[in-house]
Amino acid sequence: MSIQKNSLSPMNKTTYIYNSKTAVVLLLTIALLFIGIGLYLLATEGSAPANWAVVVLFSAAGLVFLRQLFDKRPRIIIDMEGIEDRKLKGVGKILWQDIENAYIKRMRGIAFICLELHDPEKYTTSKGTLQKGLQKADGLLGITPLIITTSYADKSEQEILELIKAHLV
């Protein structure tokens, strides 16, 4: 008798978490709205630096959101070996045996998952001076060196935390 992938427990299958298409479309719509406002201001009030700044800033944001809309790659991968978040550049897969604990932290309405590691240096040595300085400041706020951002993910931070906790025994 073969076991189907859907019948496996969360610990025995790979979970893929993607960007929420609804959230990305909303952000793209907002960016386009502000581009339109900026162009209107340029047409009616002239070439003021602030008007150009609105157009340039939201055009760049719009391009990022457009790219995310068509990005088919998973953002976070949780499997039997560990967790990988594409937003953690240069970190790669964080192995379960290296994770001591995980918890949700909220700051200014943004939720993310803090990972407490047995040896954080193992995953943070490749970071630059600025990033290391920011990590020290984060530490003062109770934020661990490695965090999983959950904004605009297609699963809630609670669902992601539960998947992580299921592997931490």
Side-chain angles (χ1 to χ4, degrees):
M1 177 179 192
S2 65
I3 299 174
Q4 296 178 354
K5 189 173 186 178
N6 291 341
S7 67
L8 297 174
S9 71
M11 290 190 50
N12 293 330
K13 72 174 188 175
T14 301
T15 302
Y16 299 97
I17 299 167
Y18 297 89
N19 283 325
S20 166
K21 297 300 180 192
T22 304
V24 173
V25 167
L26 176 64
L27 292 169
L28 180 60
T29 303
I30 292 169
L32 292 172
L33 177 67
F34 275 93
I35 292 168
I37 291 169
L39 292 173
Y40 174 78
L41 291 173
L42 282 170
T44 59
E45 296 183 15
S47 187
N51 298 342
W52 279 109
V54 168
V55 173
V56 170
L57 176 71
F58 285 98
S59 293
L63 289 173
V64 169
F65 299 138
L66 189 62
R67 182 174 175 229
Q68 287 180 353
L69 185 63
F70 294 103
D71 189 356
K72 302 289 186 215
R73 298 173 298 166
R75 183 168 143 189
I76 301 169
I77 302 170
I78 299 173
D79 62 20
M80 289 174 32
E81 295 175 6
I83 182 168
E84 185 172 359
D85 182 353
R86 274 194 311 124
K87 295 199 177 260
L88 294 174
K89 304 284 187 220
V91 172
K93 186 177 287 187
I94 304 165
L95 303 177
W96 296 123
Q97 65 257 23
D98 295 334
I99 302 173
E100 189 175 321
N101 191 21
Y103 57 89
I104 295 172
K105 180 84 172 176
R106 286 183 175 74
M107 291 187 70
R108 296 184 183 168
I110 299 172
F112 46 91
I113 298 172
C114 293
L115 299 177
E116 290 181 352
L117 304 178
H118 297 290
D119 181 15
E121 291 291 317
K122 180 177 178 180
Y123 295 98
T124 60
T125 55
S126 65
K127 294 194 174 197
T129 307
L130 176 62
Q131 288 175 318
K132 286 182 181 180
L134 290 172
Q135 277 183 345
K136 287 181 183 177
D138 287 345
L140 297 173
L141 298 172
I143 301 171
T144 60
L146 287 178
I147 58 171
I148 305 292
T149 57
T150 59
S151 301
Y152 319 119
D154 65 355
K155 294 192 182 316
S156 73
E157 64 271 5
Q158 191 61 45
E159 290 174 296
I160 298 169
L161 180 65
E162 288 174 13
L163 286 166
I164 293 170
K165 290 276 192 172
H167 289 85
L168 302 179
V169 186

